[in-house]
Amino acid sequence: MTRRVRSSTVASTPFNMFGALWYQQHSDGPWLRDADYTFGPPQDGDKIPIKVMLNSMAGIQLDAISSTLNNGMQVSNRYQGITFVLEVYYTNIGWGNMIEYQYRPIYVDSDFKAVEVIYTKYPYIRATQNRHGVRMLVVITGQIGYFSVTSLLVQLTTSLTLIALSTLVVDIDALWLMPQ
């Protein structure tokens, strides 16, 4: 994966980004950094084998027996198919101009299967392809922030104007509506 962050306020290149593969030993445990898969500048793309990502999800193996049955039979994860979410979490909070990112693979207890009907001579001859495999869904999340002097001045000016306006309203109310 190549890494780059762009927005109207923050721009990043691979030269100011660093990250790692994170894993959980249990599905409800804390996220831990994998020391073998850390990435820093200047590197052109991050390479993590699918096998490593599957192992980082509580040791999921492609050739292990699947947790779901296929027509009443136990089959391997490779035959049944696997679905997992790869959460890519970006943040620059506490890092200044540097952006940290984390790859967090999350196992979804669901098979993956794609069935496709292919007609060679419609409608007489057809073949059905029943494919199983690894389905990876990528979700981008995170927190990117920056300091803006212009926004600070606008907020300060607005708050001082509202305080002055509320003081004026209270003074008018006290002098004219309640003269005693």
Side-chain angles (χ1 to χ4, degrees):
M1 289 186 182
T2 58
R3 48 189 191 222
R4 191 171 305 271
V5 174
R6 284 194 188 137
S7 73
S8 60
T9 55
V10 176
S12 175
T13 66
F15 294 103
N16 66 337
M17 298 180 73
F18 64 96
L21 173 66
W22 290 65
Y23 66 94
Q24 288 178 307
Q25 291 177 337
H26 307 286
S27 61
D28 58 349
W31 287 97
L32 305 169
R33 181 187 296 255
D34 187 336
D36 293 334
Y37 289 93
T38 57
F39 309 102
Q43 190 170 335
D44 188 28
D46 301 338
K47 296 169 183 68
I48 305 172
I50 293 289
K51 181 179 182 179
V52 171
M53 280 197 241
L54 293 176
N55 283 336
S56 68
M57 295 181 292
I60 302 296
Q61 301 285 330
L62 279 177
D63 293 323
I65 299 298
S66 175
S67 61
T68 57
L69 297 177
N70 186 328
N71 294 329
M73 296 173 39
Q74 288 187 326
V75 294
S76 68
N77 285 326
R78 184 183 305 273
Y79 183 82
Q80 190 70 17
I82 289 180
T83 301
F84 73 95
V85 175
L86 181 63
E87 179 186 23
V88 182
Y89 180 83
Y90 288 96
T91 184
N92 71 339
I93 308 300
W95 295 104
N97 194 28
M98 298 295 286
I99 294 180
E100 177 191 14
Y101 60 95
Q102 302 172 358
Y103 295 119
R104 300 176 179 172
I106 303 164
Y107 178 67
V108 179
D109 193 14
S110 173
D111 359 323
F112 178 64
K113 175 180 176 177
V115 178
E116 182 180 7
V117 177
I118 300 170
Y119 288 95
T120 54
K121 290 187 179 179
Y122 183 79
Y124 304 109
I125 301 174
R126 67 178 180 205
T128 302
Q129 284 189 346
N130 187 354
R131 298 175 289 183
H132 304 263
V134 177
R135 180 179 190 196
M136 179 175 67
L137 305 169
V138 179
V139 177
I140 309 294
T141 62
Q143 298 176 344
I144 301 290
Y146 74 102
F147 178 75
S148 171
V149 175
T150 306
S151 295
L152 175 66
L153 290 176
V154 168
Q155 292 295 324
L156 286 174
T157 305
T158 304
S159 63
L160 292 175
T161 303
L162 287 175
I163 289 173
L165 187 60
S166 64
T167 304
L168 179 66
V169 168
V170 169
D171 287 348
I172 290 173
D173 185 31
L175 291 174
W176 297 100
L177 298 177
M178 294 183 265
Q180 296 169 347

